[in-house]
Each structure stands twice: as C-alpha cells, then as structure tokens.
Amino acid sequence: MNSIISFVNFVRGNMSKSYSTPILILAIFFISIYQSSSYADNNIPLSLSDPIIKSASELDYPPFALVLDNGSADGFSVDLLKAVVTTMGRKINFKVGPWHKIKQQLIDGELDVLPLVAYSEERNKLLDFTAPFMRLHGTVFVRKGDNSIFRVSDLKGKEVLVMQGDNAHEYAVQNQLTDKLILTDNYEQAMQLLSSGKHDAVLMLQLVGFQLLNKLKITNVVSIHSHQETNIRPGSRPLSGYEQKFCFAVHEGDKELLSLLNEGLAIVIANGSYNELYDKWFGPILPQPRVSWKQILKYLFFILVPLLFLAAAMGIWYLRREVASKTNYLQEEIRERKQTEKTLHDSENKFRTLFDVAAIPLCYVNNKGVILDFNLKFTEVFGYTKSDVPTLEEWWVLAYPDPKYRKWVIKTWETAVEKAQKENTDIQSVEYRVTCKNGDLRDIIISGSTFQEYFLATFIDLTELKQAEERFEKFFTLISDLFCIADINGYFRLINPAAEQILGYTQEELLQRPYMNFVHPDDREKTEKVIHEQLQQGKKVINFSNRYVCKDGSVKWLEWTFHPMPNQGVTYAVGRDCTQRRDMEASLKASELWMRSIYNALEEAVLVVSPQRELISVNKATKKIFGYTEKEIHDQSTSILHVDQDHFVEFGKKIEDAFGQGKSAEFEFRAKRKNGEIFQSEHTVSMLKDEAGNPLGIVSVIRDISKRKQAEIILEETLADLEKSNAELEQFAYVASHDLQEPLRAVIGFLQLLQSKYKNQLDEKGRHYIERVVKAGHRMQSLISDLLKVSRVNTLNTSFEPTDLTKVLEEVLEHMQSTITEENGVVTYSRLPTLMVDKSQIQGLFQNLIVNALKYNEALKPTIEIGYEDKGHECRFFVKDNGIGISKEFRDKIFMIFQRLHPRKDYSGSGIGLALCKKIVERHRGNIWVESESGKGSIFYFTLPQGEK
Ligand code: ADP
C-alpha cells in the first residue's frame, strides 16, 4: 500500500493535472484492491445509520481551506473530503477554527477527521493518515528584481518571513537557513510585508504562495523557481526536504474511518471528481495547459502515453546508464592519473629526502663526468662541497693525490662501471683509500648503479668500522677474562687468548673438543641443567660458577655470565677465574670457624659491645663467668655486669679516657654475676673500628681473677713467712757458725797441745787419730767460716755504690797473682762497666769464679777470659775457661750449697763457692748460670742490673 501511495504522491506532486489523471486511475485500481482486502481482513461493516462524521476546517489556507462569509467551511480539501464521504454514503459536518485548536480536537477525539493535514513523522504518532492526495513543494518568494537570492543558501543573513508553527518554520529552523526569521500569524501578512519592501523573502509552499499572490493581486513578488529560465546564474532546485504531503487525518486508531476515507478517495480520484475539484480550485491560480496538447494526449493516451512513457523511461535509463558509465570511466581515469601523478611526486619527494638524509654518502655523475649532485653525508664524510668537486676529474685529483694510486683507482673504477653497463648489474664494490678535504685518509667501499646517462655512486665508510674492529680485537685479545662464543652443538666457536692462559690448553685444543669435556666431572650435571633450563630458553645467566680441569690437571673455578642469542644459535659468555677468590673465601671461612672456636674456647668472657654499651655478642665463657646465656644477655646494657649504676658510669668514663688517648685499657673491677655474686675481674677493653677508622663498638675481654687474687694473697703471706724463716735461719746459721767457732778453736787448740806435749806417750795409732781429729777440726773451721760468709751475704750491712768493676777485677787479680802464676794461668779481660754494687761481694764473686776456673782445669796453660755485654737494662758478664767442663745434668746442681761433683782427693773444696756466688748475684737482682760440656771448658755467666745511669 505504501508503494502505491508513494506513486500517487509522485504523480500529484510532479505532474500537471492533465498528465496525472490516467496514472491516478491506475493507482485507484490498486488502492481499491488494497482497500477491499483491508475490509475483508478487518471485516468492518459499513452502515448508513452511522453517526455524522465530525470535521473542521482551518480559517484561512486558500485554496485548500477558507471560510465563506456565512461562516461555513470551504476550499479544495473541504470539498474533496465532502466528496469522499458522500461517495462512501456517509454524512459529514464541518466546523471552522484555528489550526492549532482543531488539530488538538482531533487528537482528543472531539473531531473524527480533518480535511487537510500535512504529513509528518511526529504527527503520525498522534494521528492516523490516509493516502496523501497532494504533494506540495516549498519555495522562496522574493521581490522581483532582487538578484541576491537564487537558492536557499542565499538566505543566510537575510530576513526571512515564515508563518509561526508552519512546516516552513520548522524547515527553516532545522536547516538553519538564517538567523533572522520573521514570524507571522499567516502567509497573507507575510506576502504583504514582502511586497511592501519589508524583509527579504517568504518561505512557504509554492502553490499556496501563488494562490496568495493571485488573491492579493501582488505582482512584485515571485518564486525563485520562476526566474530560472531568464537568469543565467545556476538555478535553484526545489527545496530539498521541504515538501508537504497533504492527507486526511483521523483520530489515532480509528481504522474504520481511515479505511472508509482511503476507499472513498480512490473512488473520487477514479471517477473524475478529484480532477473537477482540482480544476475548480487550482485552475485560476495555475497557468492553463495548452488545449492542443490536452486534446492530443486525451485521444492518444491509451496508445501513446504508455509507449512514450516507457520509451522515455528506457531512454532516460539508458542514457543515464551510459552517462554514468562514461562519467565513472572518466572519473576513474582522472583519479588514476591523479594517483599516478601523486605517486610520482611522492616517490620523487621520498627519493630526494632519502638521498639527502641517507646515512651513507651518495653521488650522481653523468656520463660526461659532471657531478650532478651529492648528499649531505658526502660533505660530512669527505669535507668536499659541490664547488670543490664539480667534475669527476677534480674528484680523482683531490681524493687520490698520489698519481700512482690515482691511476689504479681510475682504472679499477672505470673497468667496474664498464662491466656494470655491459652486464646490466651494479658497479662492483671495491675498497679505496680516499683523501678527505682535511687530509684525513678514509677506507671507503665504493660501488653504485649505472643508469642510461649517469651513475649513482655509493660510499660505505669503513674507517670507524675498522677502528671498532681493532678495538674489539684488542679488547678480545687483552681482556684477562675468558671470552667465548659457544654454539648449540656444544663447541666453542670463538675463544680469546685469555682462555689459553686460564686453562692451559691452546685455542685449537679448546675449539676441537666439546666444551663440556673441560668442565670438571662433578660440575657437568649442574652445567647441563643451566644450559637446558635457562640458555636454551633464551634466558640470560649471571654469576654461575663451575670448575674446569686445566691441562696441567689443576682445577679452576670460573664465574660466568651467559648471554644466549637464540636467533644466532650461539651463546656469548664471559668467564672470570675466581679460583683465588674461592680459595680465599674458603680459608676465610675456615679462619672464621677457627676464630669462632677460639672465641668460644677462651677461658675469658669476650663481649662485643655497641657504642651505646649494649651487648651485641658474647662467647661461651660468658655463661661460665657471669651465668648469662647469649640469648639472655643480647641487647642488654652492660650495666647488668656492674656492681651498681655508679660503678657502671665510672667505668664508662675510664674507658672514654683511655680511648681518648688512643689506647686500649686494662682495669680490674668488681663484677656481678647473674646470681648476684660479686667477684674480682680483670678487664681489657679495645675499640672496634671499621676500615675507615670509625668506631663500631668495644671488645671487652674479662677474666675472673678472684682465684688468682686469692693465690696472690696466699703467696704474699707465704713469701713473708719464708722471708721471716730465712732471716731466722740466717740468723741461726750466723749465730751457730759464729758461736761454734769458739769451742771448735778450743777443741783444736787442746788437741794440738795434746799432740805436742804427749806425742811420745802415744803410740802411732793414737798420734794418727789425734792428727785426723785436728784436720777434721780445721776442716770444720773452714766450713763454719764459709757458712758464716754465706749467711752474712744478706745480713752484712754493706751499701751499694757506683763501682768501677774493672778496678774490682784488677784488685782481685793482683791479690791472686801468686796463685795464677803457680798454676801457669793466663787471665785476659776487657774493660768492665761501673755499676751500683756491693764492692766486696763482687770481689768475692770474681775471686770464686777465677779460683774454680784455675782449679778445675787440667790444661797446661789454664786460660781465663773475662768480659761483658751491655744488654740495656742489665750487663751480662762471663768468665770463660778451658777447664774440664761440666756435664749438662749438673749445671743446676753445682749452685747448691755443699754440692760438689768430685771427691776431695781429686779437687779440694767445700761446695760452698758457687752457692755463695749465686747468693751474691741474686742479692744484686741478677742471675747466674753456666754453659758447658764435659771436657770442653765452661763459661759462667752472671747478670747485674744497670740501674739508673
Ligand atoms: P768447691 O770448689 O769448693 O767444690 P764450688 O761451689 O766452688 O765448690 O764448686 C762446686 C763444684 O762445681 C765443684 O766441686 C766442681 O765440681 C764444679 N766446678 C766449679 N767450678 C768449675 C769449673 N770452672 N770447671 C769445672 N767444674 C767446676
């Protein structure tokens, strides 16, 4: 149905009434069929007893709707609706009223139908429309002679009159024709304003406009479509989108009335009533068609029109198709040509840009040897500008100043160009050494391409590449790390000389065997793992260490960085010999273990204390001494080890003072154990510093000296006791020996009297006994005398004085001169020092030693050497002889009182001499000892302190 209605619309709107009539008859036929089927479908009965249809007409919309003087509705659409309703056997009643009012009444259902409603999508939502019975186009009316408006677009900025709320109004707003819309209540008013010279144009339906002009007898206003033929400027077309389809409209949903009206409309059009009404109302305002045409068409209609129509349609279709195809072809050709031109242009631009910004020097030369162009890179690399080398000749001379070399270059180049031209290939690449403008020499590979009349030379600068190669070569050769490239088959592909130095194999040996052969058997599994799980997955590996067996059988640790290049099927690797570091680490670890075991094995408590005097670490002995475990004491203040807070503070000050003087400190202090017991301790404190000398803390070594202190006290007491007992003993020895001398002298004296007075009365045996008793008495006298000497060493009230020991020795020797001579002895001595000594005792010391040296000597010429060595704080004296010597085991024994090594019959003596010597030396705070071997002479040493010089 819609297509039929559209067809009717087309006819109504685009053809004159004469042409449209036959076509409308055709349309009627289809509409009738549709309507019948529609009734059949909907089964809606028609009845003459139906109530009168209520309608209304607008007040003033000639010739469609107008009001007669008697107030009744009239006009084309009123007449048409009346005809349609009457045809369908129904009655209709018209009211009149303003458009907006009657429209609302229809929407509200107060009216059944309106005779003239312009179709729009919006209205269709509120009302139902019949097939349109007329389609009108909008146009612009202007004043005659106004040449400024020819088309809708000319309305911009113009004052355009429209009726408020009309379609023209909507159209003007929607399309933003102008920003100066002048709104009127009706079009009559608009036309009059325009005609009177006000404003610029009226926008409205053309047909209605003509009607108005006619009615108002306005002659100075025309439609812009009417002066097309007389104007040479491009004509305007009907206003696109501004057209109105006029229909009957019924209350929304009133299908029955709608069907009735559509059917009636079809009949009215078919039976000629429509045409009659059309002529009646539009005839006066439209130009009359020529009679002849009308007549001819009327008679020939059934034969010619369809044919003509068909032929015309076909002709138009064909022509259109041809024109369209030709136009397309031409447009395509133009487009292609433009595209080609653009491509060419782009390509030239691209080439030019490429040439200019190319990363390598390029140069164009024609076949006459003229250098046409070269790029920026050319000047950058060689330094020559275009004026320097206008021709190839200039280039040869400048770039190759050595004539001999130049000759070779020209020959090589020309041969290459000739070959390229002949074989239609590129110019063969050859390396030349080019001299730049600044005199630098550059290694350049020159090649190029020949064209018909010129060639393009390309230059690849190898200088930097060569330098880079050299640098790499040096780096590769000189680096002390092992650098290699290994392939996926498990072989080294490239390996640097450092590998030889590290592993001891030659490069050939390393390249010939799979690298895994060199890996230590114990490390192969983990090496394989890294290869499979990381390198073959393209993952970089750093700090991987494994061992290698060197050619000499030694094992080396290598620390690797692997960089796999999966695309190339190789891995780049750098290995560093970390054997030494590993060994060091191991020994460091061992040393740390060692230190720790010492730390823990120490008897002393060792505390590592922070600068804030908090305990950081303690050894095992701490538990033994203080009773705290490391866990208990960690982070605690060292104050817990002190007797009280004052003690702690005072101790801190002492440490600070000591550290202030830059030394470690030693203190004794009373410490406190966990169980509260106080004990005496000895404390060595040293500062712990980092490499830069910054204090890190304090190390305290604490010894429990409570037992030692006790022992010291006991020792002191014992010594005191001993000294007391010695003194008593000496006193006793002195008293005894002194007091014994007197009775002994009496015994010997009376025995000697007995001997001299009664020797004749005694027999031989008696005389012998008395003789032995006298001898024993003398010996006892000598023993007591010696004992007396020994006991008096410490008790004699002699004083220490600075004494020249040379003098002392010389006095002794002088005193002993006869004995020495008797023994055929020789005594030599060096100069001796002056020391604080008891002179008479030192005399005795020298005398005893010299006597012994002569006595225990079997040499024909007993030789004695006396001297000393300055040992700083003391002097070490020696008395050396060439006597019988002393066995090792007796070296200490001889210094004990009454100890002798020989029977008296062999060597006389009492065994007191050396004991006396020892006592004298010890009284002087020195030592005495002997170095000797049996039969090899003896050296007696004794030391005497230097004292303050
Ligand atoms: P005496 O000489 O009276 O026996 P000494 O105390 O002087 O006592 O010596 C103790 C012993 O040391 C001597 O009996 C002698 O055996 C040994 N003696 C001392 N001086 C020497 C010496 N110069 N060479 C070898 N033996 C010595």
Side-chain angles (χ1 to χ4, degrees):
M1 181 66 195
N2 278 340
S3 58
I4 298 164
I5 291 168
S6 304
F7 179 63
V8 173
N9 290 337
F10 171 78
V11 174
R12 295 248 70 81
N14 291 288
M15 300 183 86
S16 72
K17 194 201 85 181
S18 309
Y19 298 108
S20 65
T21 306
I23 311 300
L24 286 172
I25 292 167
L26 233 79
I28 289 159
F29 172 72
F30 291 112
I31 290 168
S32 303
I33 291 168
Y34 174 78
Q35 296 288 32
S36 338
S37 65
S38 176
Y39 288 132
D41 290 346
N42 296 318
N43 201 15
I44 301 168
L46 287 177
S47 161
L48 286 172
S49 59
D50 285 346
I52 296 167
I53 295 166
K54 293 180 284 235
S55 184
S57 172
E58 280 178 83
L59 295 175
D60 193 15
Y61 203 67
F64 295 92
L66 46 99
V67 182
L68 297 176
D69 292 339
N70 63 6
S72 60
D74 203 357
F76 171 73
S77 53
V78 173
D79 276 358
L80 186 63
L81 181 58
K82 273 182 190 165
V84 166
V85 171
T86 311
T87 303
M88 295 308 290
R90 297 286 297 272
K91 287 183 180 168
I92 189 161
N93 194 5
F94 279 96
K95 292 197 295 183
V96 292
W99 162 244
H100 63 274
K101 206 167 173 181
I102 59 172
K103 184 175 120 191
Q104 192 55 47
Q105 285 173 348
L106 181 66
I107 292 167
D108 295 341
E110 289 169 37
L111 293 175
D112 297 317
V113 59
L114 287 180
L116 183 73
V117 185
Y119 178 87
S120 74
E121 290 297 326
E122 286 76 23
R123 287 176 179 176
N124 196 31
K125 288 172 193 161
L126 303 167
L127 305 166
D128 280 348
F129 287 84
T130 63
F133 53 81
M134 186 163 286
R135 199 172 100 174
L136 296 181
H137 288 290
T139 190
V140 179
F141 288 92
V142 295
R143 278 184 293 278
K144 245 184 204 168
D146 180 351
N147 289 330
S148 64
I149 300 169
F150 284 91
R151 57 183 77 78
V152 183
S153 57
D154 292 338
L155 294 176
K156 273 266 168 321
K158 304 283 184 185
E159 290 179 3
V160 179
L161 293 148
V162 286
M163 184 175 107
Q164 185 167 11
D166 186 55
N167 272 20
H169 184 190
E170 285 171 25
Y171 178 78
V173 172
Q174 269 170 20
N175 294 284
Q176 296 176 345
L177 298 185
T178 178
D179 50 359
K180 293 177 186 168
L181 278 180
I182 314 295
L183 305 179
T184 58
D185 291 335
N186 52 55
Y187 279 114
E188 207 170 305
Q189 191 187 352
M191 280 298 191
Q192 279 167 340
L193 282 168
L194 184 69
S195 174
S196 66
K198 288 180 183 154
H199 314 299
D200 299 306
V202 175
L203 181 68
M204 64 184 297
L205 292 174
Q206 181 167 274
L207 195 61
V208 182
F210 285 152
Q211 161 68 22
L212 263 180
L213 292 175
N214 202 33
K215 179 184 165 190
L216 301 171
K217 301 198 173 19
I218 292 171
T219 52
N220 66 337
V221 171
V222 288
S223 157
I224 54 168
H225 293 101
S226 67
H227 47 184
Q228 283 179 51
E229 289 155 13
T230 55
N231 206 302
I232 52 165
R233 288 178 64 178
S236 54
R237 283 169 290 181
L239 303 191
S240 166
Y242 180 24
E243 62 176 17
Q244 285 189 339
K245 290 180 248 177
F246 288 101
C247 315
F248 300 138
V250 300
H251 178 67
E252 169 80 6
D254 195 348
K255 300 284 178 205
E256 187 186 336
L257 182 59
L258 194 68
S259 299
L260 181 134
L261 293 173
N262 270 329
E263 194 179 347
L265 191 59
I267 295 165
V268 165
I269 292 168
N271 67 15
S273 305
Y274 179 92
N275 283 347
E276 282 168 21
L277 290 173
Y278 189 91
D279 286 341
K280 174 185 166 190
W281 287 101
F282 293 103
I285 56 168
L286 290 173
Q288 288 297 314
R290 287 176 206 158
V291 177
S292 57
W293 275 105
K294 193 179 172 185
Q295 289 301 110
I296 291 163
L297 283 170
K298 203 172 182 178
Y299 291 117
L300 296 179
F301 174 74
F302 290 103
I303 306 156
L304 287 180
V305 167
L307 285 175
L308 277 172
F309 185 72
L310 200 65
M314 282 180 70
I316 288 164
W317 174 78
Y318 178 74
L319 274 172
R320 277 194 173 178
R321 208 188 66 167
E322 280 299 299
V323 168
S325 132
K326 195 74 186 168
T327 309
N328 278 346
Y329 172 76
L330 282 171
Q331 277 175 346
E332 186 62 22
E333 200 173 279
I334 290 164
R335 203 182 58 73
E336 274 177 15
R337 188 170 294 179
K338 277 188 178 166
Q339 188 59 40
T340 311
E341 274 173 14
K342 189 174 175 300
T343 311
L344 259 169
H345 187 69
D346 288 353
S347 153
E348 197 185 325
N349 272 347
K350 267 187 211 158
F351 174 74
R352 169 51 57 191
T353 314
L354 274 176
F355 183 77
D356 286 341
V357 302
I360 57 166
L362 298 169
C363 173
Y364 268 126
V365 183
N366 71 8
N367 56 8
K368 287 177 186 144
V370 176
I371 295 179
L372 300 174
D373 201 0
F374 53 68
N375 64 354
L376 294 173
K377 195 72 187 174
F378 187 95
T379 307
E380 198 182 297
V381 172
F382 301 116
Y384 298 114
T385 59
K386 282 175 188 159
S387 58
D388 293 329
V389 279
T391 65
L392 207 49
E393 284 306 316
E394 311 279 344
W395 167 252
W396 295 137
V397 175
L398 289 170
Y400 310 102
D402 174 17
K404 209 170 156 194
Y405 183 61
R406 179 161 66 232
K407 202 172 160 192
W408 173 83
V409 171
I410 295 172
K411 196 175 166 209
T412 310
W413 174 255
E414 284 177 347
T415 311
V417 171
E418 219 169 274
K419 190 165 177 264
Q421 280 168 339
K422 211 160 150 193
E423 295 173 5
N424 202 20
T425 55
D426 283 345
I427 300 166
Q428 192 193 356
S429 304
V430 178
E431 188 180 329
Y432 303 92
R433 178 153 282 200
V434 177
T435 305
C436 302
K437 192 173 178 179
N438 62 3
D440 283 357
L441 289 171
R442 284 186 170 269
D443 295 313
I444 308 282
I445 287 186
I446 307 179
S447 61
S449 308
T450 59
F451 301 95
Q452 282 172 347
E453 290 179 354
Y454 56 88
F455 63 79
L456 173 71
T458 56
F459 302 78
I460 298 170
D461 188 355
L462 298 179
T463 318
E464 271 157 29
L465 199 70
K466 281 193 168 182
Q467 283 169 359
E469 251 176 36
E470 264 172 38
R471 279 200 294 272
F472 173 74
E473 187 65 33
K474 266 191 196 145
F475 176 73
F476 186 74
T477 317
L478 297 177
I479 189 171
S480 60
D481 288 342
L482 191 156
F483 180 83
C484 65
I485 300 174
D487 63 21
I488 45 171
N489 300 320
Y491 283 84
F492 291 122
R493 215 181 256 185
L494 187 71
I495 193 148
N496 69 341
E500 289 186 1
Q501 281 171 6
I502 294 171
L503 300 176
Y505 291 99
T506 62
Q507 280 185 323
E508 287 71 34
E509 285 169 331
L510 291 165
L511 294 172
Q512 271 163 12
R513 284 160 52 191
Y515 54 73
M516 200 54 83
N517 282 15
F518 303 102
V519 176
H520 190 287
D522 293 349
D523 286 355
R524 283 181 191 160
E525 197 181 322
K526 73 167 185 180
T527 309
E528 295 275 10
K529 203 170 169 218
V530 165
I531 293 169
H532 292 312
E533 291 180 5
Q534 313 237 45
L535 301 182
Q536 286 178 2
Q537 313 301 320
K539 291 179 192 160
K540 205 177 153 184
V541 176
I542 52 170
N543 295 338
F544 172 75
S545 301
N546 61 0
R547 284 169 291 174
Y548 281 74
V549 182
C550 303
K551 197 170 183 181
D552 63 5
S554 62
V555 174
K556 282 200 173 156
W557 276 98
L558 291 183
E559 190 176 81
W560 291 98
T561 298
F562 297 121
H563 198 106
M565 306 290 277
N567 297 342
Q568 299 170 21
V570 295
T571 293
Y572 287 75
V574 181
R576 174 158 294 180
D577 181 1
C578 60
T579 317
Q580 217 176 355
R581 199 195 72 209
R582 283 245 171 194
D583 291 350
M584 269 172 70
E585 278 171 5
S587 67
L588 213 70
K589 213 170 177 181
S591 132
E592 202 197 318
L593 263 174
W594 190 62
M595 291 297 287
R596 184 149 286 278
S597 32
I598 292 175
Y599 178 64
N600 282 324
L602 280 172
E603 283 288 306
E604 291 88 353
V606 182
L607 319 175
V608 180
V609 181
S610 74
Q612 293 74 37
R613 298 179 71 193
E614 281 159 357
L615 289 150
I616 298 168
S617 164
V618 298
N619 69 343
K620 284 191 177 157
T622 310
K623 164 99 172 84
K624 216 164 120 192
I625 294 175
F626 286 97
Y628 292 106
T629 61
E630 174 153 23
K631 212 171 166 189
E632 285 173 331
I633 212 167
H634 192 260
D635 279 351
Q636 295 263 25
S637 162
T638 51
S639 62
I640 59 164
L641 309 177
H642 289 263
V643 176
D644 53 35
Q645 191 62 21
D646 291 346
H647 192 270
F648 170 68
V649 173
E650 188 193 334
F651 190 74
K653 279 182 191 155
K654 279 187 186 174
I655 294 175
E656 266 177 35
D657 288 350
F659 288 167
Q661 291 165 23
K663 55 184 184 185
S664 52
E666 268 190 30
F667 312 103
E668 280 187 14
F669 80 105
R670 287 163 66 239
K672 193 169 79 177
R673 299 190 216 275
K674 188 181 173 185
N675 61 10
E677 189 190 325
I678 310 291
F679 68 101
Q680 196 64 28
S681 68
E682 192 176 72
H683 207 105
T684 308
V685 189
S686 19
M687 194 184 274
L688 198 65
K689 294 177 180 173
D690 64 10
E691 281 180 8
N694 303 315
L696 292 175
I698 300 161
V699 178
S700 258
V701 180
I702 302 171
R703 281 171 288 277
D704 181 351
I705 56 166
S706 47
K707 282 184 186 155
R708 198 184 79 196
K709 278 279 162 190
Q710 254 174 337
E712 274 175 13
I713 292 165
I714 293 168
L715 195 68
E716 270 171 26
E717 286 169 1
T718 312
L719 272 175
D721 289 349
L722 207 64
E723 267 175 25
K724 196 178 161 199
S725 121
N726 266 356
E728 282 170 2
L729 207 62
E730 274 174 5
Q731 187 63 28
F732 167 74
Y734 174 75
V735 170
S737 47
H738 185 267
D739 289 358
L740 277 174
Q741 273 183 329
E742 194 46 44
L744 195 57
R745 242 195 318 268
V747 171
I748 293 168
F750 282 110
L751 272 175
Q752 281 172 335
L753 272 176
L754 200 65
Q755 219 178 12
S756 61
K757 279 193 177 175
Y758 301 100
K759 74 177 170 189
N760 296 333
Q761 286 151 342
L762 293 170
D763 60 3
E764 191 61 27
K765 221 174 191 174
R767 282 198 297 274
H768 177 67
Y769 286 153
I770 290 173
E771 215 171 272
R772 285 191 68 179
V773 172
V774 170
K775 249 187 187 174
H778 280 303
R779 199 171 126 63
M780 198 168 184
Q781 256 185 332
S782 134
L783 273 174
I784 288 172
S785 155
D786 283 347
L787 205 59
L788 198 63
K789 276 184 204 162
V790 172
S791 69
R792 290 175 69 186
V793 168
N794 287 331
T795 53
L796 266 178
N797 203 11
T798 47
S799 58
F800 282 63
E801 281 170 3
T803 311
D804 182 351
L805 297 185
T806 316
K807 265 189 185 167
V808 173
L809 178 62
E810 282 170 351
E811 280 170 21
V812 169
L813 289 175
E814 197 184 327
H815 181 69
M816 289 179 69
Q817 188 55 51
S818 57
T819 318
I820 295 167
T821 312
E822 258 172 42
E823 295 293 332
N824 197 27
V826 178
V827 179
T828 56
Y829 60 93
S830 64
R831 193 159 176 81
L832 301 181
T834 298
L835 296 173
M836 284 285 282
V837 293
D838 181 332
K839 186 183 168 187
S840 65
Q841 287 187 349
I842 298 300
Q843 271 178 338
L845 175 66
F846 276 125
Q847 189 174 332
N848 269 323
L849 292 174
I850 294 166
V851 166
N852 278 355
L854 289 170
K855 186 163 59 172
Y856 298 103
N857 203 319
E858 299 298 331
L860 289 174
K861 200 176 184 126
T863 307
I864 302 163
E865 191 187 333
I866 300 166
Y868 89 106
E869 264 183 85
D870 190 338
K871 292 281 180 187
H873 63 291
E874 62 183 16
C875 290
R876 194 177 72 179
F877 297 87
F878 64 89
V879 178
K880 185 180 175 187
D881 65 48
N882 57 346
I884 61 170
I886 304 161
S887 296
K888 270 187 186 171
E889 62 266 33
F890 301 124
R891 282 182 194 169
D892 291 331
K893 192 182 172 188
I894 56 171
F895 293 99
M896 292 169 162
I897 195 161
F898 302 132
Q899 293 297 326
R900 307 197 69 240
L901 303 181
H902 306 280
R904 208 170 297 116
K905 65 176 171 52
D906 295 338
Y907 297 101
S908 64
S910 59
I912 282 182
L914 287 179
L916 189 65
C917 288
K918 189 168 188 263
K919 203 135 194 216
I920 291 168
V921 171
E922 281 176 353
R923 188 170 177 244
H924 283 80
R925 300 194 181 281
N927 277 321
I928 185 165
W929 69 99
V930 64
E931 281 181 11
S932 176
E933 268 184 57
S934 186
K936 290 187 178 175
S938 311
I939 308 172
F940 280 85
Y941 291 99
F942 65 90
T943 60
L944 293 176
Q946 292 260 37
E948 284 177 23
K949 287 181 184 173

